[in-house]
């Protein structure tokens, strides 16, 4: 499988570049994240990207995949045309390779307050939600 991956290390590189990498071994799983981990392990240990939950929940492995923003952990590799072109998320400052600085994103996220608010005192352990409460949210 062939890849074109955006590479940039601000400590050593004057300009970003696209590196061509080839994964000859079959990745351990069926998702793009598995292929990236295999590339890092077998081809280029300096390749830098984020990963966390592997469930498509946290969004840490967000990147631009063949021109579309997506999550590497839920992107099946068999659905991707080759060479697979990977770039960091657009409009975000690049920290290194596919890792972007999410400081501004999290500031905006906090300002929107995308969570439920409750005027009741905080319970000792957790807030339980009844099926009726959930139905109101739905």
């Amino acid at each position: 499988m062939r890849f074109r991956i955006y590479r940039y290390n601000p400590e050593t590189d004057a300009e970003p570049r696209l590196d061509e990498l080839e994964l000859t071994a079959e990745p351990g799983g069926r998702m793009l994240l598995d292929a990236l981990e295999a590339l890092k392990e077998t081809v280029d240990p300096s390749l830098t990207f984020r990963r966390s939950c592997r469930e498509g929940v946290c969004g840490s492995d967000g990147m631009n995949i063949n021109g579309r923003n997506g999550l590497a952990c839920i992107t099946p590799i068999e659905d991707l045309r080759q060479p697979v072109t990977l770039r960091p998320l657009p409009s975000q400052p690049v920290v290194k390779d596919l890792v972007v600085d999410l400081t501004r994103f999290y500031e905006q996220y906090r300002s929107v307050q995308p969570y439920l608010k409750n005027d009741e005192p905080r319970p000792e352990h957790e807030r339980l939600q009844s099926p009726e409460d959930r139905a109101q949210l739905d």
Side-chain angles (χ1 to χ4, degrees):
M1 181 167 225
R2 294 176 303 127
F3 294 86
R4 295 181 69 218
I5 301 178
Y6 180 98
R7 303 300 302 271
Y8 178 63
N9 182 348
E11 295 177 6
T12 59
D13 299 333
E15 294 291 325
R17 66 187 185 281
L18 283 177
D19 279 358
E20 306 250 350
L21 301 174
E22 185 153 352
L23 183 62
T24 55
E26 193 67 27
R30 300 181 351 253
M31 299 298 164
L32 175 59
L33 183 58
D34 300 311
L36 282 171
E37 289 175 339
L39 277 171
K40 184 173 180 75
E41 186 177 309
T42 62
V43 179
D44 187 349
S46 71
L47 179 61
T48 306
F49 54 92
R50 283 195 177 110
R51 61 193 180 279
S52 187
C53 75
R54 300 185 64 87
E55 305 269 334
V57 175
C58 71
S60 66
D61 62 344
M63 59 188 69
N64 187 278
I65 306 162
N66 284 346
R68 299 187 67 182
N69 296 338
L71 301 176
C73 64
I74 59 170
T75 301
I77 54 176
E78 64 266 9
D79 293 351
L80 299 174
R81 73 179 190 286
Q82 292 187 46
V84 178
T85 302
L86 302 175
R87 296 177 185 272
L89 289 172
S91 304
Q92 304 290 334
V94 176
V95 175
K96 183 179 178 192
D97 295 344
L98 299 172
V99 175
V100 295
D101 181 356
L102 294 173
T103 303
R104 185 167 172 240
F105 167 80
Y106 285 118
E107 288 170 356
Q108 291 171 335
Y109 183 80
R110 275 190 294 279
S111 75
V112 173
Q113 301 178 358
Y115 46 81
L116 297 175
K117 297 178 183 178
N118 191 318
D119 295 331
E120 296 175 14
R122 180 175 282 181
E124 188 176 324
H125 295 288
E126 64 183 305
R127 293 188 195 275
L128 298 176
Q129 185 179 63
S130 69
E132 294 80 21
D133 291 340
R134 180 63 211 182
Q136 282 184 328
L137 289 174
D138 291 341

